[in-house]
Structure formats: structure tokens, C-alpha cells
Amino acid sequence: MSGGVDSSTVAAMLRADGHEVIGLTMQLWNQRRLAGHTGMPEAVHGRCCSLDDVYDARRVAEALGIPYYVVNHEERFERDVVRPFVEEYLSGRTPIPCSLCNNHLKFDQLLIVARQIGAEGLATGHYARVGLDEVSGRWLLKRAADLSKDQTYFLFGLTQEQLSRTLFPLGEMTKQEVRELARHHGLALAEKPDSQEICFVPGGDYKNFLDAYLSEQGNTLPDAAGELVTTGGQVIGEHKGIHNFTVGQRKGLGVATGSPLYVIQIDGEKGQVVVGHQDELYSASLRAHRVNLISIDKLLEPMRVTVKIRHRHEPAAARIEQAGPEEIVARFDTPQRAITPGQAAVFYDNDTVVGGGWIA
């Protein structure tokens, strides 16, 4: 129970259906921890995992008459989500902390807690669908009926065992239907707006967060100044740190030319930011590593799929094939714009998630 309308509605639905429901909230990050550092607010309100959300979740549990517990995983969250987030940016990649959190905490640690308290399964407010394929015997992860709310892009790391014990009761519903159901159950937070930000980065300003976090740790941002170079290798300027850039970025490059320039590549080893024209942003292939397969056990031969390279990206037609242990190459029918290392590549067979991995 995150304290939002989605997970609260799930608890109410399951309770109304006669299930024995226990509410669990994960305490992941102290929102006041970096208060006082430059760019960090004194207090944070209306965010995923804030104290306000814990209060809202507890209030819903009381209204439903179900037991409720807060499980503290701050140490693990910092180790498995926050520190990799910082390291990825400093190395020139663009991370997705929500996927790391799902893989390492929400569907790992919460299932452990569920076993400890005798629960048969874990239900969440994610917009996705799960079911057993009777032919293959594998659990399948499928896109939500409401594609505008689909969250399977962030769930590609789920294992067969995790899927077998997970329920996504909102998978067939629209957001409007969820809010209407919340009103029907008398939930006080039926109109609560969705949280859109990374839970531990106030205002979405990751640069201020990096400064504040490293300062708290007794460190400073490493001197990552380097060269701005064209795709042809010509040095056209300097930059103050590769963490300030992401592939596809146009503004804030610090150079003026006759035509717009975009970040094409970030070379962490050389400390270079490679810039070029918009048509140079397009790539015909990508390599994904640390791949997790869901609908199939092994990729024995090339397979036709569609691939999402960002959460809001329309899946693009491609052919995937195994390139090594836990490594897959995707070759697109049409080159895709701004394929970004550190983001996820998720493979779909129609609405079924074949699997996914991290763009290398």
C-alpha cells in the first residue's frame, strides 16, 4: 500500500471479495534526510513513499478494518536503488530507479515478508496483467487493458516465482474506473493525484540530488569536465560533467552553431560528450544485457517482437537474437531515436512481455 488511490482501491476490492487482506507499506527513503543541502526542500509533500503517503495508507487500512504494517527497507533501498542511480549518472548512463526498486524490493523483499506473515500472495496497484499459460506452463506478464496506464515496462525483471504469487487487480481497468471504485468504497483519497516524480529526487532535479547526496557522504562531484566533440571527432567546446547530459538532449550544451545540435553519445571512459545533428540520433540496433526472459525459457532462434526503449515509447518492430549469456541484440525495422544506455529495452509479443534487459 503506497498511500495512493491505486493500491488503496486494490485493498478495498480484495476485502470486498472476501479475502483476508494485510496492508504493507515499504519505508524506503527519509524525505527530510537531505534537507538543508542546496536545492533540497525542508519538507516534501504528496510524493510516493513520503510520510504523508504512509499516513494515507494507514488511514485506508483503518477504514477497511485490515491489519497494517510499515516495513523499513531504507538501507536496502539505498544500496540497491539510490547508489546505483548515482553511479549510473556519474558514468554517463541514464538510470531507471523504478525498475530497480521493483526488481530488488517490491517484488523480492515484500514477497519474503508475505511468506513470513503467512500470506499466499502479493497484490499491488500496478497496471498490468498476469496469468498462467496452460500450454507452456509459464506465468505470463501482459500489458494492461488501458495502454495509457500500462506499467509492464518497469516490471520486466519479474521472475516466474514472483509472477506466480502476484496479483494485479487493476489490469483490466482504466484510471477513471479505479477512481469511481474508490468512491464507491468510500475511500477518502479517491481524488488524490498521481505521483509522477522519482520518489527520492524532489522536483525531479537529479543534478541537485547528486550534489546533495555526495556532499552528505563526505564526497563531492568528481571532476568530470571534458570535451564536447562532433561525431566526426572535432572538438568544439568543453563541458563541466557528463552527468549533466543525456542522449537526445538539445538545450544546455554550451555551444552555438548554425544548426541545432543534440547529444548523440556519452563516453564515460574518455569523458566526452558527442554531439551531432538530429538525424544522427537514430540507431538501427541496440544491445541489452542482464536480460530476464518471461514468456519463454530461452531464446533459441531469432524472434520477431516489438521493443520499447522508454516508458512512453511506442513499441517498435524488431528482430531479437541471443548474443551471449543474458545478452540480446535487437535490430529494428526502422531506426529509433535516442536509444539511451542505462534505460530498459522491453520486448513484446503483441501484449505479452517476452522479457527485457538494460540497454548497454
Side-chain angles (χ1 to χ4, degrees), residues 281-284 307 309 313-317 332-339:
L281 269 176
Y282 288 83
S283 302
V307 182
I309 58 173
H313 177 246
E314 184 65 29
F332 294 97
D333 293 4
T334 304
Q336 299 299 299
R337 186 182 188 276
I339 299 176

Side-chain angles (χ1 to χ4, degrees), residues 161-209:
E161 199 271 338
Q162 289 167 347
L163 287 169
S164 73
R165 302 185 64 221
T166 298
L167 300 175
F168 296 124
L170 306 186
E172 302 288 348
M173 302 175 66
T174 65
K175 185 71 178 198
Q176 181 179 354
E177 290 171 337
V178 171
R179 291 197 184 278
E180 289 174 356
L181 192 57
R183 296 184 196 106
H184 171 75
H185 286 292
L187 300 182
L189 43 64
E191 313 304 329
K192 185 175 180 178
D194 292 340
S195 174
Q196 302 290 340
E197 299 176 346
I198 298 172
C199 64
F200 57 91
V201 182
D205 192 333
Y206 73 89
K207 298 172 189 176
N208 278 340
F209 173 80

Side-chain angles (χ1 to χ4, degrees), residues 74-141:
E74 287 188 26
E75 185 176 336
R76 173 120 188 203
F77 182 77
E78 182 170 5
R79 185 190 74 194
D80 291 342
V81 178
V82 176
R83 287 177 187 162
F85 175 88
V86 172
E87 291 164 1
E88 286 282 273
Y89 263 119
L90 295 182
S91 65
R93 292 185 291 272
T94 306
I96 316 177
C98 294
S99 293
L100 288 173
C101 186
N102 284 332
N103 292 351
H104 293 292
L105 287 133
K106 288 183 180 175
F107 293 91
D108 179 27
Q109 292 303 300
L110 269 187
L111 275 169
I112 292 174
V113 174
R115 288 194 197 95
Q116 291 171 341
I117 61 178
E120 294 179 358
L122 174 70
T124 79
H126 287 91
Y127 287 82
R129 292 180 290 172
V130 64
L132 180 65
D133 181 1
E134 300 290 350
V135 176
S136 67
R138 294 188 69 81
W139 288 89
L140 302 181
L141 176 65

Side-chain angles (χ1 to χ4, degrees), residues 27 30-32 44 47 49-56:
Q27 173 61 37
N30 179 356
Q31 298 288 356
R32 286 187 50 79
V44 176
R47 318 273 310 284
C49 305
S50 70
L51 287 176
D52 288 344
D53 288 316
V54 173
Y55 171 78
D56 286 343

Side-chain angles (χ1 to χ4, degrees), residues 24 98 111 113 127 134 159 231 246 252 275 279 285 314:
L24 292 175
C98 294
L111 275 169
V113 174
Y127 287 82
E134 300 290 350
T159 66
T231 50
T246 188
V275 298
D279 59 352
S285 65
E314 184 65 29

